[in-house]
Every structure is written in structure tokens, then in C-alpha cells.
Amino acid sequence: MAVTPVGARLRHVVLADLPASPWRNGGGETREIVCVPAGADMAEFDWRLSVATIARTGPFSAFPGVDRVITLLEGEGVVLRSTDGLIEHALTAPLVPYAFSGDVAMDCELVGACMDFNVMVRRSTTRADVTVQRVAARTAPARAGAFYAAHGTWTVTGTEGESATLAAGTGAYWLDAEAGWRLHPHSTGAALLSVRFESV
């Protein structure tokens, strides 16, 4: 199964088991990790997590009212340029989150085939905090959030005793339950994306 429960709050996700949705322009594909509310379309979600592979230069659609954070997971990356000429950003350093407004359409110039972790939030309802953990840590409580193991293996342990082991390419998320977590890497060089969502 792509998503399995771990205790009462945590849901474990295996990226390779999630269905891939090809882009209409043929430039890549997206695997959706979770969308809130469940089943909401791109005009109605409050927040959404996904991983995309990009294989071709092409446009990024505008999403008015949405804030975005994109993080290069692997590959050479892309250069993002807003169609109004005000933004140009080279997304070529791995595991460095880049936040930008979805209000403006972007052109995406491929440097080399890559995989990206994407966070999208409806600005009127939700705020996201995206960090990269490389050492043991404890997260501040949040009512919803997620983890994605980019490198190495991590143990995620909740205050109610639930625990999940996240190998590279897997993740976990929780919904509608105030929770803080202890994060423990199993080796040096491990890296974990941590996302906290707060209502506004």
C-alpha cells in the first residue's frame, strides 16, 4: 500500500507506490503525497504536498492565492523565471527550500533532469514552514505536517509513543491533531524535509 497508518495519528507514505500523473505538456509527472481537503481539485485545496520529476523545459502554471515552496531533491535542477521578468532563481542546490508566490506564472528552464518536493498552501487559510533536518531534533507542535526522508533513514517518534522508520524515498504525515515529534537520523549524511502547517 502507498499509505499505511502508524498509530492513531501518523500515516506512512512510500513515494514509489504513489500513482504518477503525467503533466499535460509532457514535461514531467507528479506524485501527490496528500491533499487537504481530501479529493479537492487545484482550485479548492487548503494545502498539498507532492513530488515531481521534471524532464523538459516548460511553463509552471500560475496559482492565484497560493504560496509555494519547492525543494530540489536530486538531479541538476531548473531555473525559474517569472513571466513578468521580476523573478529569476536557479534551483540547482539540493535541499534548499525556495518559497515564492503562485500568483505569477513561471517559466521553468531545465538544467538537467531532476526531482523536486513541492508544498502548496492556500494563503487565506494556511501557512507552511519547510525546513531540512540533518541532525537529531524535536519539532514544535503543529496540528498538521509531514516528513520526507531525502537521504538516509530516520526514526520519527510522537509524544503518544507512535514511531515510524522512514527510509530514503518514504515519508509520513499527520492531520488534525496537535503533535510534536522527535527526529533521529540513523547515520551521518541523512537529510529529512520537515513541514509544519498552521491555520491563519
Side-chain angles (χ1 to χ4, degrees):
M1 293 178 63
V3 180
T4 54
V6 180
R9 297 181 294 183
L10 209 58
R11 298 292 181 267
H12 183 261
V13 179
V14 178
L15 182 66
D17 292 344
L18 296 173
S21 299
W23 296 359
R24 282 181 292 182
N25 67 6
E29 63 182 22
T30 297
R31 296 177 189 268
E32 182 178 275
I33 296 172
V34 59
C35 180
V36 174
D41 63 23
M42 297 302 287
E44 297 176 338
F45 69 85
D46 286 332
W47 58 266
R48 180 177 185 262
L49 297 179
S50 63
V51 171
T53 56
I54 305 176
R56 185 184 304 171
T57 293
F60 270 15
S61 299
F63 290 97
V66 171
D67 287 329
R68 306 184 63 176
V69 183
I70 184 170
T71 306
L72 178 65
L73 293 174
E74 59 184 60
E76 295 183 66
V78 298
V79 177
L80 299 176
R81 296 184 180 91
S82 61
T83 54
D84 62 9
L86 297 178
I87 299 172
E88 180 171 329
H89 178 77
L91 190 79
T92 52
L95 300 179
V96 180
Y98 174 64
F100 62 101
S101 170
D103 293 343
V104 179
M106 292 276 197
D107 289 324
C108 171
E109 179 185 342
L110 187 71
V111 178
C114 59
M115 181 181 294
D116 304 316
F117 184 82
N118 298 286
V119 180
M120 303 175 72
V121 297
R122 187 78 50 195
R123 191 178 303 126
S124 60
T125 66
T126 311
R127 180 176 63 250
D129 177 49
V130 182
T131 59
V132 177
Q133 304 291 340
R134 298 182 184 274
V135 297
R138 185 187 297 266
T139 70
R143 286 199 58 80
F147 305 108
Y148 181 80
H151 300 299
T153 300
W154 291 75
T155 297
V156 176
T157 305
T159 53
E160 295 184 3
E162 65 270 64
S163 180
T165 299
L166 306 182
T170 72
Y173 64 86
W174 76 99
L175 308 173
D176 300 322
E178 192 78 13
W181 306 88
R182 295 191 303 275
L183 313 176
H184 179 74
H186 290 205
S187 61
T188 58
L192 182 80
L193 281 153
S194 174
V195 186
R196 297 173 64 253
F197 295 103
E198 298 289 351
S199 298
V200 297

